[in-house]
Amino acid sequence: MHRSRSIASDHPLSHLYYYIVAFSGTMNLSSRTGQVLGPQRTSRSLVGIRTTHARQPHHQGRWRGSSIAKLYSIHRHVCCAAEKEGNRDIESRRAGRATYRPSTFTELIDDAVGSIVYGIQDGLNRVEVEFPAVSDVDGYKGSSDLYIDTNIQLAIAAARKIFSTTAMKVHLLVPDEPEYRRAYKLFKQALETSEGVTLGHCMEGKSTYKYVDANIQNFVSSLTSKFSMGESYPDPCEKAGDADMYIAVNCSTIELADLEDYASEKVKEKPLVTWNMELDNLRADLGLLGFPPKDLQYRFLSKFKSVFYIRQRDYSKTVAVAPFIINYSGALFREYPGPWQVMLRQDNGVYACVAEETERRYPLGEFKAELTKAMGLDVEPEGSTAAFLRTGYKTTTWWEDDIDREESNSWRT
């Protein structure tokens, strides 16, 4: 059900700054401002206002443990963690938030983990988490190394929280073996001091160069061993089978096919989380020359329900009076099992809820229309030529249109 809301203007919220600090191989998430620590830079968190209408959780498959005793133990831990998560009960989560103001980055991670826990409790085994990992940078538009390393740091912090609250062992997945070696070298101490958290990759037990001739594979392997300078890396296959949950990070569009194979062969019915992978951007490449076909969305990506989602958008519109160009921005927000919400950014930095949808996710065209309406800029009569020229002929993407071809509608709800 769709509801529009007036903008709340009496919330004195300001931008929140935080740092991701790796000290002595461990994660220390801080809210400091003003100086740069290590390779990280000042980041600004997102603040939002919500509405108060409930939606019921959508069930999608049941996770099955390797044994009845293990399943009962994990289920009991998950239920207890869901009951104790923060100071918010399930009903308040369904209703959404009056304000969203994480004072530290740790709180943001806790909110994402809480959404994952509630999703698992409701039987979800394919979930998506998406939020701005690096302030003022949309994914790979900034430094790719900064984005990739920050995502791994955040995933380790989330995995620690999941294990401490649910006793579920978490196996992190990077795309391939070279990425695994690099990540293990950077975060070795953090991984070794994180109980219940292991690192692996989507090509475990397979050749990373599966499309390359065998002779070239042997040559590359010899070079790798020669320049490894005696460093050894544990075999991730040994830990993968013991995991109760998997978190995939930093996969590109081409590597989604490897993730699908890994999910069908090793993850199976266990929970799999895509962590800040920007699936909407990856979907846009499917079907293009050199990329996987669109069927990957229909049979695989459509099964991932967004349990914690913050996606920022910037727009502008020309008007006939000064200042002639009006810039406005907002965010599509969701915290499971709450509704999908359209957040409009006000001049004071507050993200205010102007509309919500309890049944389905907002398509990008409708999301923009809600923001435009909240700004009072939808002045063209409906169905007029001016309105058509503003919106254009096509306002939805192909993956938003192809409902009948999907094996699941989880990603839409």
Side-chain angles (χ1 to χ4, degrees):
M1 180 180 297
H2 168 78
R3 291 181 176 87
S4 296
R5 309 288 291 183
S6 59
I7 301 176
S9 59
D10 57 344
H11 295 276
L13 303 181
S14 60
H15 292 303
L16 304 174
Y17 293 86
Y18 55 82
Y19 277 104
I20 307 166
V21 184
F23 177 74
S24 299
T26 61
M27 298 297 298
N28 178 22
L29 303 181
S30 171
S31 59
R32 294 183 183 179
T33 62
Q35 66 181 38
V36 177
L37 304 178
Q40 302 301 325
R41 66 185 181 88
T42 303
S43 298
R44 187 165 56 207
S45 62
L46 183 67
V47 181
I49 311 299
R50 60 89 176 157
T51 52
T52 57
H53 299 280
R55 89 176 286 276
Q56 297 296 327
H58 176 77
H59 294 262
Q60 173 64 32
R62 289 287 177 183
W63 175 75
R64 300 177 178 84
S66 58
S67 67
I68 296 177
K70 188 175 183 180
L71 175 62
Y72 173 77
S73 175
I74 292 176
H75 177 72
R76 177 170 56 82
H77 280 90
V78 169
C79 291
C80 292
E83 291 174 0
K84 296 179 181 178
E85 192 271 329
N87 295 319
R88 306 177 62 219
D89 58 20
I90 187 64
E91 293 302 324
S92 65
R93 270 187 167 266
R94 289 197 180 103
R97 288 179 175 267
T99 60
Y100 186 53
R101 187 180 183 179
S103 58
T104 65
F105 204 77
T106 302
E107 292 185 29
L108 186 62
I109 294 294
D110 290 346
D111 293 337
V113 170
S115 298
I116 294 173
V117 169
Y118 273 113
I120 295 174
Q121 184 185 25
D122 285 342
L124 303 178
N125 61 3
R126 299 290 183 267
V127 299
E128 176 190 12
V129 171
E130 182 72 44
F131 60 87
V134 181
S135 175
D136 299 325
V137 177
D138 184 11
Y140 291 98
K141 290 182 181 178
S143 169
S144 60
D145 286 345
L146 172 63
Y147 185 80
I148 289 171
D149 295 344
T150 300
N151 260 342
I152 296 176
Q153 288 180 329
L154 297 176
I156 293 175
R160 284 178 169 178
K161 180 70 175 180
I162 290 172
F163 180 78
S164 65
T165 56
T166 68
M168 298 180 71
K169 296 180 181 179
V170 182
H171 192 58
L172 305 179
L173 297 171
V174 294
D176 51 34
E177 186 174 358
E179 288 287 342
Y180 164 73
R181 289 173 177 267
R182 178 182 181 275
Y184 187 84
K185 183 177 180 179
L186 288 175
F187 304 105
K188 179 179 180 180
Q189 293 183 3
L191 291 167
E192 290 178 347
T193 57
S194 300
E195 184 181 3
V197 182
T198 56
L199 181 67
H201 56 88
C202 297
M203 300 297 293
E204 293 171 1
K206 300 179 181 179
S207 171
T208 304
Y209 313 98
K210 59 182 179 180
Y211 301 113
V212 181
D213 181 77
N215 294 327
I216 298 180
Q217 290 186 33
N218 295 334
F219 175 73
V220 172
S221 299
S222 63
L223 286 180
T224 303
S225 60
K226 182 178 295 185
F227 289 100
S228 62
M229 302 182 66
E231 297 182 12
S232 60
Y233 302 89
D235 184 3
C237 296
E238 299 176 358
K239 300 294 185 180
D242 297 332
D244 304 307
M245 179 190 299
Y246 301 81
I247 298 180
V249 296
N250 299 333
C251 290
S252 66
T253 307
I254 295 178
E255 291 154 345
L256 286 177
D258 298 329
L259 178 60
E260 181 187 21
D261 292 340
Y262 190 95
S264 61
E265 296 172 4
K266 297 188 177 183
V267 178
K268 298 181 180 179
E269 297 302 317
K270 296 179 182 179
L272 172 62
V273 181
T274 59
W275 185 269
N276 282 347
M277 283 175 47
E278 297 191 338
L279 292 185
D280 280 345
N281 289 346
L282 302 187
R283 289 184 176 104
D285 293 332
L286 296 177
L288 299 179
L289 181 64
F291 292 93
K294 294 181 179 180
D295 286 344
L296 188 64
Q297 157 66 16
Y298 306 142
R299 67 175 184 264
F300 182 58
L301 295 184
S302 63
K303 299 177 181 179
F304 285 84
K305 178 185 286 291
S306 299
V307 294
F308 190 78
Y309 191 92
I310 304 173
R311 188 66 184 272
Q312 298 165 307
R313 298 289 187 185
D314 299 319
Y315 301 104
S316 63
K317 185 174 182 177
T318 57
V319 294
V321 296
F324 303 110
I325 298 179
I326 298 178
N327 299 314
Y328 59 103
S329 61
L332 184 60
F333 178 80
R334 203 277 176 89
E335 184 183 27
Y336 185 87
W340 286 95
Q341 297 173 293
V342 177
M343 302 287 191
L344 176 65
R345 187 182 187 278
Q346 302 180 79
D347 292 338
N348 60 358
V350 174
Y351 281 81
C353 181
V354 296
E356 68 173 15
E357 178 64 61
T358 59
E359 300 296 334
R360 64 183 179 87
R361 174 178 180 162
Y362 280 95
L364 295 180
E366 291 186 22
F367 168 72
K368 180 181 179 181
E370 291 292 346
L371 290 180
T372 304
K373 179 181 178 181
M375 288 288 294
L377 299 176
D378 56 338
V379 295
E380 297 85 3
E382 185 177 356
S384 64
T385 301
F388 174 80
L389 293 176
R390 284 289 187 186
T391 60
Y393 170 73
K394 190 70 173 176
T395 60
T396 57
T397 60
W398 63 263
W399 59 89
E400 292 171 337
D401 291 336
D402 295 349
I403 301 177
D404 297 336
R405 304 185 63 178
E406 296 174 347
E407 295 184 8
S408 172
N409 68 341
S410 290
W411 81 278
R412 299 177 180 272
T413 59

